[in-house]
Amino acid sequence: DAGVIQSPRHEVTEMGQEVTLRCKPISGHDYLFWYRQTMMRGLELLIYFNNNVPIDDSGMPEDRFSAKMPNASFSTLKIQPSEPRDSAVYFCASIPSGGSSYNEQFFGPGTRLTVL
Amino acid sequence: AQSVTQLDSQVPVFEEAPVELRCNYSSSVSVYLFWYVQYPNQGLQLLLKYLSGSTLVKGINGFEAEFNKSQTSFHLRKPSVHISDTAEYFCAVSEWGSQGNLIFGKGTKLSVKP
């Protein structure tokens, strides 16, 4: 299996621009999580989906952030407009079907976002 | 609400020395406990997890952790580290019956020197 795939791996953009991060979970996994990692705040859960439906988006910092999962094999995290404080590494992770609190999360390699 | 505290942000150690990375958690309900490792420029991968049963859990790469309920701790240990163990280590908890969302500690950077 290819694992969780994220693209792009690196993104550099200017303040005010729209940024779209992409994630393909492992086939057969029906839970998908988006995290943000910064030096100051560590790893934060932004939102997670089950069967393409958002379950908890309480970690999404502002209305500038939105996430979608149009099908079982693809999710996007969009920031519009982007700001320098959004600079971070964004991770996507997935859990097998029937996800439970004891399951291992499988992480993608992350997208390093720099907003100038 | 749950929280995870990793007491050391950085741990330098010489090769072949033992190491312990400390983790304490706080929760009003029962939790499962995890240690993840992040190598430079990579995502996180699972080292080990405690679900129930024996309080000593063995993981990959020679790591082990001990669950101590009375002290709400889940410290990670390795008797002899290698240069290749240089990485950042994250302790995490998930609440019983939840859908798998994890609460992470801030991480401990382990630096193994020759």
Side-chain angles (χ1 to χ4, degrees):
Chain A
D1 201 321
V4 176
I5 298 172
Q6 291 187 249
S7 64
R9 292 293 311 274
H10 301 274
E11 176 81 33
V12 180
T13 191
E14 293 190 347
M15 183 174 62
Q17 296 298 305
E18 177 179 295
V19 175
T20 300
L21 311 181
R22 297 172 176 79
C23 175
K24 176 179 168 53
I26 293 172
S27 177
H29 286 195
D30 58 11
Y31 281 82
L32 185 140
F33 301 80
W34 281 101
Y35 292 90
R36 177 172 68 175
Q37 184 180 35
T38 61
M39 291 288 291
M40 290 296 294
R41 301 173 69 91
L43 268 163
E44 304 172 276
L45 176 65
L46 299 177
I47 184 172
Y48 73 96
F49 295 84
N50 176 219
N51 289 324
N52 316 333
V53 176
I55 303 300
D56 184 353
D57 65 355
S58 59
M60 297 284 263
E62 300 171 35
D63 291 345
R64 298 184 296 106
F65 286 70
S66 63
K68 294 182 180 179
M69 193 162 186
N71 57 62
S73 59
F74 183 65
S75 177
T76 59
L77 178 67
K78 186 176 292 186
I79 308 172
Q80 166 63 16
S82 57
E83 296 183 4
R85 60 195 167 117
D86 301 331
S87 297
V89 181
Y90 291 82
F91 288 102
C92 174
S94 66
I95 285 182
S97 299
S100 174
S101 50
Y102 53 78
N103 281 134
E104 171 186 358
Q105 289 193 14
F106 292 83
F107 282 78
T111 295
R112 183 175 296 276
L113 173 64
T114 303
V115 184
L116 303 173
Chain B
Q2 304 152 41
S3 66
V4 178
T5 302
Q6 292 185 242
L7 298 162
D8 306 296
S9 60
Q10 297 189 52
V11 172
V13 64
F14 287 105
E15 194 173 18
E16 297 184 7
V19 70
E20 178 179 81
L21 307 183
R22 296 179 293 171
C23 172
N24 286 89
Y25 69 93
S26 173
S27 178
S28 57
V29 299
S30 296
V31 296
Y32 297 116
L33 297 154
F34 304 78
W35 276 99
Y36 283 80
V37 59
Q38 183 181 27
Y39 297 103
N41 300 314
Q42 294 186 28
L44 283 70
Q45 63 184 82
L46 183 69
L47 265 183
L48 50 79
K49 62 182 177 182
Y50 174 78
L51 304 182
S52 65
S54 172
T55 57
L56 184 63
V57 181
K58 293 189 184 298
I60 62 171
N61 301 339
F63 283 92
E64 62 182 31
E66 185 154 21
F67 170 57
N68 187 318
K69 187 174 182 179
S70 62
Q71 298 189 6
T72 59
S73 68
F74 190 52
H75 301 334
L76 181 70
R77 302 187 184 101
K78 186 169 182 178
S80 175
V81 294
H82 302 130
I83 298 287
S84 59
D85 293 322
T86 295
E88 190 158 17
Y89 293 79
F90 292 90
C91 183
V93 302
S94 70
E95 183 179 304
W96 282 20
S98 72
Q99 295 186 64
N101 39 314
L102 292 169
I103 306 298
F104 284 91
K106 289 285 183 71
T108 298
K109 290 185 178 176
L110 175 64
S111 176
V112 182
K113 304 176 187 304

